[in-house]
Structure formats: structure tokens, C-alpha cells
């Protein structure tokens, strides 16, 4: 099951009010950070151009809101090709896919978002399209059904997924190019904020941009969402001339329920549940029940940031507080099992 976008300001999952489209960079130059991925892509694009062949099939993986869809649109722009966008769960029958594939011209890009959610028979149907640029299309139904083999133009499939682990190996192996996006550093995020502020036509000072960056969980989508809300706070405070300064940023982020660590109430609930039994791992299901949240959502949406920043640790038997978690809650970490065993012996 795919996590629903929770109603919280810091979720990296797309929410309807996010202005992803208008804030999306339209050139590689406008795409901040992810230097390794961008340089790789430029190389593959150049090579494909030099050899006058379509780009190899490409897979983008990484958490929500880091720029997978943006990169797909940039690649297609550089190729000067048509981009056809669809998503794993909406393709129900091979015929749906065949309809899209047969319309593609040489070098066009078919972008499949949430590609891990493709139905298995659709995934298998894609294999021959990706490899041999051929598909079988059935004509007629029932006892007189026949199928004809169609040749496709050499297209490029770009897949995006937040859960690369859910793709089968044979499927993954059919992507010649595989790039993983990682969380952004605060400097990159501050630059994204300044760039987006220009697009939204709002002034923002250095302190405010850094403040937003530090609380955005390494995620451009979250940074852009904060910026849009802070613009409104600024507008309400002083009319169009009022830009976003540190004071507005602090006040606005507080209104959104985001604290200085970029954590919100739900994060704190998770930490508090783990703090109830310090040192004892809590299973994902138990954590889900205790916080009234879906286990998949905890795993994909809340937990990654808490783990990266050291608030939570994942062990084979469940989740426990990490060093930063103890520090934040002002709890002394329990002694390691060996030490506590000894402690009992002598007490
Ligand atoms: N490197 C970047 N530079 C500037 N803006 C970025 C960058 N990456 C992402 N963004 C911004 O973040 C928003 C979200 O990016 P995008 O939609 O590409 O994420 P995604 O990885 O496809 O997310 P999802 O997994 O939810 O589909 C975009 O609107 C874009 O404005
Ligand atoms: Mg996307």
C-alpha cells in the first residue's frame, strides 16, 4: 500500500497545494545539487547524442520530493523529444500500455512514475518492449483471439520509484542507467529557496532562507512548501512590499508546527513512544498502533529523516531511540546490555 500524504507541513509526499510544476527548474543549470547524478546524466545524454541513438532506459530512485519527476522532464527537454507521462497504478491492461507505446516516435520518453506499483503482468509485458522494441497485441477476444507482433520505435523508458527494493531484479536489470537521489544539504536547499522565491516574486533574506533550509528535511518539496506559506505570512503582515525575514520565518514555521529541528508533532509522538521503553526495540506494527498511523507511512515518510539525523535507530528487532533522540528528550541513554548486566551483578 502506498502511503497517503499526511496532513502535515513537513511531509515530503506531494500535497495538492504544492506548486511542483511552476517551481520545477526548466534547465539542468536551474537544478540545484545532486551533482553526481546530474553529471552522469549529462554524460549519458552527450554520448547518446553523439552516437545518434536514443538514451538507455533510465531508473530514478529515492524518497519523495527530491526531484525524480523534475529530472525526467529535464532529460526529455535535452533530448528535444516528446514526454509521455503515466504512472504504475493507472496502467491496468496491456492494451493501455500498447496504446501509449505504439504512439511513441524514435527518441521519445515514456515516463512511468511509481513504477514499483505496476501490475506484474504489465511489467512482464514491458520486457520485450524495453529489450527488443516489440510487443504482442491481441486482436479479437475469446476463442478466435489472435495476436500480432508489432515493432516499436526506439523509445526511452524513464521509471521513478520511492521503493526500488520492490522492483524485481529482471525488471531492474533492464534499465541501463540507474540513479539514486539523496537528501539535499542545507546549502543546496537554501539556494533552492532563493531560486523559488524569485519565481514566486517574494523577497527573502539570507537568514530566512537558511532557516527554511535547515527545517526542510533535506527535501526541496518541503522547502518550497514552507516558502509558499511564509510568503503568505509576509503578505498578511505587511502587504506586497514585506519580504520574508528571520522574524517572519520563525513565526511562520511555528504556525506550521515545525520546530527548530524540523520536527513536528508526529515525529515527537514517535520519539515519545520509543522513549517509553528506552533501549527496548519497538516493532513497526506496534509503533503504528501507538501513533495511530499506517506502518507504511511511518516507514516511508516519517522514519527516514529521523534515522538520517540520528533521532531513531533501526535494529533487527525494531526501532529504538538514537543518540540525538535521547538528547532531544533529555533522557539518559540506557547502558549497553553487557554493562547493565554487570551493573546488576554488583548492585
Ligand atoms: N534539484 C532541485 N533544484 C530545484 N528544485 C528542485 C530540485 N529538486 C526538486 N525540486 C523541486 O521540488 C519539487 C518536487 O520535485 P519532484 O516532483 O521532481 O520530486 P519527485 O522526486 O518526483 O517526488 P515524488 O516521489 O513525490 O514523485 C519540484 O517542484 C521542484 O520545484
Ligand atoms: Mg515525482
Amino acid at each position: 500500500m502506498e502511503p497517503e500524504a499526511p496532513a502535515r507541513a513537513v511531509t515530503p509526499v506531494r500535497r495538492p497545494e504544492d506548486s511542483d510544476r511552476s517551481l520545477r527548474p526548466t534547465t539542468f543549470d536551474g537544478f540545484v545539487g545532486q551533482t553526481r547524478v546530474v553529471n552522469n546524466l549529462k554524460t549519458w545524454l552527450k554520448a547518446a547524442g553523439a552516437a545518434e541513438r536514443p538514451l538507455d532506459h533510465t531508473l530514478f530512485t529515492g524518497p519523495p520530493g527530491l526531484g525524480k519527476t523534475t529530472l525526467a522532464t529535464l532529460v526529455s527537454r535535452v533530448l528535444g523529444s516528446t514526454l509521455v507521462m503515466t504512472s504504475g497504478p493507472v496502467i491496468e491492461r496491456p492494451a493501455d500500455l500498447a496504446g501509449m507505446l505504439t504512439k511513441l516516435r524514435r527518441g521519445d520518453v515514456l515516463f512511468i512514475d511509481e513504477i514499483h506499483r505496476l501490475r506484474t503482468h504489465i511489467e512482464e509485458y514491458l520486457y520485450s518492449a524495453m529489450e527488443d522494441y516489440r510487443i504482442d497485441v491481441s486482436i479479437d477476444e475469446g476463442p478466435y483471439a489472435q495476436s500480432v507482433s508489432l515493432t516499436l520505435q526506439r523509445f526511452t523508458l524513464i521509471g521513478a520509484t520511492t521503493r526500488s527494493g520492490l522492483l524485481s531484479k529482471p525488471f531492474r536489470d533492464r534499465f541501463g542507467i540507474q540513479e539514486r537521489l539523496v537528501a539535499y544539504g542545507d546549502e543546496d536547499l537554501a539556494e533552492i529557496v532563493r531560486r523559488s522565491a524569485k519565481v514566486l516574486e517574494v523577497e527573502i533574506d539570507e537568514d530566512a532562507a537558511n532557516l527554511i533550509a535547515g527545517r526542510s528535511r533535506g527535501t526541496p518539496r518541503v522547502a518550497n512548501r514552507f516558502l509558499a506559506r511564509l510568503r503568505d505570512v509576509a503578505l498578511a503582515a505587511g502587504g506586497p512590499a514585506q519580504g520574508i525575514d528571520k522574524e517572519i520565518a520563525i513565526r511562520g514555521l511555528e504556525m506550521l508546527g515545525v520546530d527548530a529541528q524540523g520536527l513536528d508533532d508526529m515525529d515527537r509522538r514517535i520519539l515519545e513512544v520509543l522513549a517509553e521503553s528506552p533501549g527496548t526495540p519497538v516493532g513497526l506494527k506496534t509503533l503504528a498502533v501507538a501513533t495511530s498511523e499506517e506502518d507504511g507511512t511511518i516507514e516511508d515518510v516519517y522514519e527516514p529523516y529521523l534515522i538520517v539525523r540520528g533521532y531513531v535507530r533501526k535494529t533487527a528487532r525494531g526501532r529504538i531511540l538514537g543518540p540525538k533522540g535521547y538528547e532531544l528528550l533529555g533522557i539518559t541513554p540506557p547502558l549497553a546490555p553487557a554493562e547493565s548486566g554487570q551493573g546488576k551483578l554488583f548492585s
Side-chain angles (χ1 to χ4, degrees):
M1 242 209 61
E2 206 57 19
E4 281 285 304
R8 65 202 286 255
V10 294
T11 181
V13 178
R14 205 183 114 68
R15 287 168 49 170
E17 73 273 23
D18 287 338
S19 30
D20 273 8
R21 221 179 266 233
S22 56
L23 293 178
R24 205 160 259 157
T26 52
T27 62
F28 271 116
D29 288 340
F31 191 87
V32 180
Q34 309 286 349
T35 326
R36 196 188 56 78
V37 173
V38 169
N39 287 339
N40 286 356
L41 281 176
K42 283 182 178 166
T43 306
W44 313 138
L45 283 163
K46 205 166 163 186
E52 291 183 24
R53 58 173 167 75
L55 187 74
D56 281 354
H57 303 307
T58 300
L59 182 67
F60 292 128
T61 62
L66 296 193
K68 298 180 295 298
T69 303
T70 306
L71 281 178
T73 60
L74 290 179
V75 165
S76 148
R77 263 174 202 267
V78 172
L79 292 170
S81 67
T82 302
L83 174 68
V84 177
M85 294 183 123
T86 182
S87 136
V90 305
I91 308 172
E92 289 184 1
R93 302 167 307 143
D96 299 338
L97 191 60
M100 285 184 268
L101 289 170
T102 51
K103 286 193 197 78
L104 297 174
R105 288 163 306 178
R106 187 181 163 85
D108 280 352
V109 173
L110 175 65
F111 175 67
I112 307 186
D113 209 355
E114 298 189 78
I115 200 162
H116 61 278
R117 292 178 70 193
L118 273 182
R119 290 161 175 77
T120 315
H121 66 287
I122 304 286
E123 174 187 318
E124 281 161 8
Y125 188 76
L126 255 181
Y127 289 175
S128 65
M130 292 173 78
E131 227 162 11
D132 308 322
Y133 300 95
R134 294 195 78 79
I135 48 169
D136 289 329
V137 179
S138 57
I139 43 179
D140 272 335
E141 285 182 12
Y144 303 107
Q146 291 184 33
S147 80
V148 291
S149 177
L150 293 182
T151 307
L152 303 170
Q153 300 295 314
R154 295 183 77 94
F155 68 101
T156 297
L157 177 69
I158 301 186
T161 176
T162 49
R163 311 281 300 270
S164 69
L166 296 184
L167 286 197
S168 71
K169 185 167 181 323
F171 194 19
R172 211 177 332 176
D173 288 346
R174 283 174 167 80
F175 292 92
I177 302 171
Q178 303 191 9
E179 297 292 349
R180 178 165 193 84
L181 301 192
V182 293
Y184 291 70
D186 288 356
E187 275 176 30
D188 285 344
L189 287 169
E191 192 178 333
I192 291 172
V193 166
R194 288 192 294 268
R195 198 195 141 266
S196 298
K198 286 205 188 89
V199 179
L200 296 176
E201 297 180 349
V202 56
E203 295 284 327
I204 182 160
D205 73 16
E206 204 54 39
D207 284 348
N210 290 334
L211 212 70
I212 296 179
R215 301 193 190 184
S216 301
R217 308 180 149 234
T219 310
R221 178 179 288 137
V222 175
N224 283 339
R225 182 184 304 142
F226 287 168
L227 179 68
R229 292 287 68 75
L230 296 188
R231 172 204 50 193
D232 292 349
V233 175
L235 275 174
Q242 168 87 51
I244 303 171
D245 56 15
K246 191 173 176 183
E247 195 200 315
I248 297 264
I250 290 174
R251 180 143 52 94
L253 289 165
E254 196 169 301
M255 285 165 64
L256 294 169
V258 182
D259 69 13
Q261 286 81 26
L263 304 181
D264 73 356
D265 293 348
M266 182 63 193
D267 297 312
R268 284 181 175 274
R269 266 219 313 279
I270 292 174
L271 297 181
E272 276 156 19
V273 171
L274 298 182
E276 279 167 22
S277 53
T280 311
V282 178
L284 185 58
K285 291 256 188 297
T286 311
L287 194 56
V289 172
T291 54
S292 319
E293 186 51 87
E294 296 252 349
D295 50 2
T297 306
I298 292 182
E299 199 169 18
D300 289 355
V301 178
Y302 302 111
E303 193 176 77
Y305 178 75
L306 295 174
I307 293 173
V308 165
R309 292 287 161 116
Y311 294 106
V312 170
R313 265 179 51 205
K314 213 163 155 177
T315 73
R317 289 187 302 124
R319 281 77 178 149
I320 55 174
L321 281 183
K324 279 288 231 26
Y326 287 113
E327 193 186 307
L328 184 77
L329 299 176
I331 303 174
T332 318
L335 297 172
E339 295 168 81
S340 60
Q342 254 178 13
K344 275 206 189 84
L345 200 63
F346 293 110
S347 61

